[in-house]
Amino acid sequence: MCWAGRMMLGTFSILLVLVHAAAAACEFGPFPYRATGIVCRMTKPAALLLNQETAQVIQAAFRNAKFPNITGERSMRLLGRVAYGLSNIQVSGLSIERSEVELKEDNAIHISIKNVTALFKGTLTYGYAGAWFLQLFHSVDFEIESSIDLQLNINLMCQKDQVTPDASDCYLAFHKLTLHLQGDKQPGWLKQLFTDFISFTLKLVLKREVCKEINAVAKTLTNFILDLAADFVRDKDIVVDISVASDPVIKASYIESHHKGLVLYKNSSSVLSDSVFSPSLLTESRMLYFWLSEHSLSSLAAAAFLDGRLLLNLRGEKLQELFEMEDTEVQQKAVQRIFQGTSYNDSVAKVWSLTQPQISLQPEGTVVRSLVAVEVSILLAGEAPLVSLYMEKEVTVTVQATYAEKKLILQPVDSSVEIKVFKCTADPSGEDSSIQSFLQNMILVAGIPEVTSSIGSALTSLMNNKRLHLFDIINPEIITGKGYVIAQLDFGFPSHLLLHFLEKSL
């Protein structure tokens, strides 16, 4: 998926959360949606929320800008040529009054930042120049009070199926640029003289260096999000290809990106050419949407099967809960015969998929069909395990998914089981209806819920290992349709993560 959240900092996040959006420079053919396996949509409310953190990005850009020394000279009546130099320029006391953002259908994000106030400090060296000789003979500390409006137009540039934000369209408008020498706030002849000299050059330097640093911050954040997303959709040999499948869509109310969603496992890859995605499937009432195709989900299940991950071992209390779902005499006798009086701690039940699960996404939920094996073994001291029960059953289960309290919950709402193979030491002939009836009921009532719960826990653990639990996911909904599933949510994010990243990287 386009795994995101608010791990981005500032208004750049409007772009970066859609980590692989591409511009029109990329060629996708006449029917790009056909190859779309995953879609991300971020709406205007999310953009406005993210824009609240703009100050953090601008502060980082100003703080990390490397201001060069500024030199110049000018002919003055009576004084001849006056030369000056500004060095050791540093910025402090940065504040921002407000920031506004607009999504434009010209494939750009327009950001207007009002009244950025900053104090620049450094050293001013000045003197008088002759025709062939220059001697600088005096230095004073200076402060420059500034008030600036900043206009950014971030365009989406496609490079190698990944996004590169171009924030070079950057404009600074100065409302105030006041020079103070040696802390003296009163105007004097020296201050008046050098203010006229340096203001124009200083404005050019500030614009160049600040805009260059903002562009660098945008690219740094992009690389960070790309790396984060790539790690999120990779687990050992299973990788989801989230490179772009078509041009992004930027409307006044949302940004939308489309991704291939192909699953790569070792040397094999899935192929998608008949996606059912349509923009009308997504609304604009929530902040963030993820659309996932049936093909992508099925390919993930196939890769998990090939990688031997669809295996569950139960013992001890879990095994006891499974086989003691009912406290009846018939149940007790069946359990006693199957386990031959052995404790649950000395037994193990193994459940695994014999065939690749077949997944169908329907309005009622995710329908999973698979041939599943169940094996119960008794562990005898000093002896090989004794298989007391072996079954192969064809299972069809409809699962509904929810996400709450930072956990993925898979709830079976309908299921059926057909036993294909049955071997039990307590019923060698396979004609004891009480044992088979007990096992059939146990699988439906306790076995399938236990397996789906275990899968949900495993997926939660995997996602939390990728740091999803650090994000604030608000009122998430998971909706299935014919051939697709949609996750829609509002969100918050721990901005300290990006601040820590910026401090380390810039």
Side-chain angles (χ1 to χ4, degrees), residues 315 342-348 377-386:
R315 62 175 67 206
T342 305
S343 74
Y344 293 108
N345 289 329
D346 295 325
S347 305
V348 60
S377 299
I378 299 172
L379 308 176
L380 303 174
E383 299 182 24
L386 173 64

Side-chain angles (χ1 to χ4, degrees), residues 488-505:
Q488 55 189 39
L489 56 119
D490 299 320
F491 63 87
F493 78 104
S495 60
H496 65 276
L497 291 179
L498 249 297
L499 287 173
H500 176 69
F501 167 75
L502 285 171
E503 289 171 357
K504 289 175 57 180
S505 302

Side-chain angles (χ1 to χ4, degrees), residues 55 93 215 280 319 340 400:
N215 204 24
S280 62
L319 194 57
Q340 301 178 21
Q400 291 182 349

Side-chain angles (χ1 to χ4, degrees), residues 230-248:
D231 178 65
F232 202 102
V233 295
R234 174 190 297 272
D235 188 62
K236 297 180 180 178
D237 290 330
I238 301 176
V239 180
V240 179
D241 178 5
I242 52 175
S243 56
V244 292
S246 67
D247 295 331

